[in-house]
Amino acid sequence: MSETNSIVARAKLFFDGVGAMTYFGIRFFKELFTSPFEGKELLRQCYLIGNRSLVLVGVTGFILGLVFTLQSRPTLLEFGASSWMPSMVSLSIVREIGPVIFALICAGKIGSGIGAELGSMKVTEQIDAMEVSGTNPFKYLVVTRILATTLMLPLLILIGDAIALFGSALIENLKGEVSYLLYFNKVFDALEFSDLIPATIKSFFFGFAIGLVGCYKGYHCSKGTVGVGEASNTAVVYTSMLLFIIDFIAVFITDIFVEI
């Protein structure tokens, strides 16, 4: 009986959290279209989020292209299909692997950072001080960060994809003596707008999820300094789960449109 009560309590807590986060997201859209608009803070957050994550995304993309090509090349050579390497790598990275991997990397970097930053402001009562001074802390702190992650993540993913393809081309040039011009000609022959558009659209949702969860966990942080660590940790865990759910829904919808 106690185990049943524990399961019910956990389920209730989970759905309470989902409801609270949904309300948090609805409030974001409400505040987004009401004045005043924090344009300077939005630009500052876009710069910070993009600049601080660019090196990490670039290094990850380069290693992703190297490893993926090195692992796939022997199998394609065994079947005499090494000429398919540029097409296979480009489609795999652009459609699925790139957006998911880079979003997970940014979830750990950006989501935890936002959760820790807002959590620290919450426990030190800086957010309460902003409310007392007449400033809207939700618009200044939350709306700008969610919008910045939504706008910057697609750009980071596109840059990461390009660097990953360069890493793959480097391996093909060294191992298979394929020129960079020939490699990228095959890449662009294989890619179509139907490959880029779904990946780009879902990357906006990835960015929104990272910003939403990170801001929610930080904005509702409690338990003092211990709560800051919990907010940062749970932001990464919840965001990672949400990214996989969004990716599944996006792939499912895309598959339906392809069949039609």
Side-chain angles (χ1 to χ4, degrees):
M1 189 67 179
S2 60
E3 292 182 1
T4 304
N5 293 335
S6 177
I7 294 174
V8 172
R10 289 180 181 180
K12 183 179 181 302
L13 185 64
F14 171 78
F15 286 110
D16 286 344
V18 172
M21 193 174 297
T22 302
Y23 174 76
F24 194 80
I26 294 173
R27 186 182 176 186
F28 160 76
F29 286 107
K30 180 182 177 181
E31 296 283 355
L32 177 63
F33 298 104
T34 57
S35 60
F37 301 102
E38 302 290 348
K40 291 183 178 180
E41 178 64 14
L42 173 61
L43 292 177
R44 190 178 78 89
Q45 290 299 323
C46 287
Y47 171 77
L48 292 176
I49 289 172
N51 185 52
R52 291 177 179 177
S53 305
L54 184 59
V55 175
L56 181 61
V57 169
V59 173
T60 303
F62 185 69
I63 295 175
L64 175 64
L66 294 178
V67 173
F68 189 53
T69 305
L70 286 172
Q71 291 290 330
S72 303
R73 197 167 188 280
T75 303
L76 292 180
L77 285 174
E78 184 177 348
F79 289 96
S82 58
S83 61
W84 290 4
M85 177 65 72
S87 303
M88 185 197 71
V89 171
S90 60
L91 290 174
S92 300
I93 290 178
V94 171
R95 281 183 178 179
E96 188 63 27
I97 297 177
V100 174
I101 293 296
F102 298 133
L104 290 173
I105 292 295
C106 291
K109 180 72 170 63
I110 300 172
S112 62
I114 291 176
E117 182 182 11
L118 295 188
S120 299
M121 297 181 70
K122 181 70 174 180
V123 299
T124 56
E125 300 181 351
Q126 295 182 49
I127 294 178
D128 296 334
M130 293 178 67
E131 292 178 346
V132 172
S133 65
T135 305
N136 186 346
F138 191 93
K139 179 177 284 292
Y140 186 81
L141 298 175
V142 175
V143 174
T144 54
R145 282 165 173 79
I146 295 178
L147 192 57
T149 56
T150 304
L151 295 176
M152 293 308 297
L153 194 70
L155 295 177
L156 291 172
I157 289 176
L158 288 175
I159 294 172
D161 288 345
I163 295 175
L165 292 176
F166 174 75
S168 176
L170 179 62
I171 294 297
E172 280 295 285
N173 181 260
L174 295 176
K175 293 278 189 179
E177 298 181 354
V178 178
S179 67
Y180 293 104
L181 180 61
L182 176 60
Y183 184 91
F184 283 104
N185 280 337
K186 290 186 176 181
V187 166
F188 290 119
D189 287 341
L191 290 175
E192 299 178 356
F193 281 109
S194 58
D195 301 315
L196 295 172
I197 293 175
T200 303
I201 292 175
K202 72 180 179 181
S203 64
F204 282 100
F205 287 96
F206 287 165
F208 176 76
I210 293 171
L212 178 66
V213 177
C215 288
Y216 173 79
K217 290 297 180 181
Y219 201 79
H220 292 91
C221 177
S222 59
K223 302 178 183 178
T225 55
V226 177
V228 176
E230 291 182 359
S232 178
N233 183 45
T234 54
V236 176
V237 175
Y238 286 11
T239 302
S240 300
M241 294 174 58
L242 191 56
L243 290 177
F244 285 115
I245 295 173
I246 294 172
D247 185 57
F248 169 75
I249 295 173
V251 172
F252 184 77
I253 294 175
T254 304
D255 186 61
I256 292 176
F257 280 102
V258 169
E259 291 180 355
I260 294 176

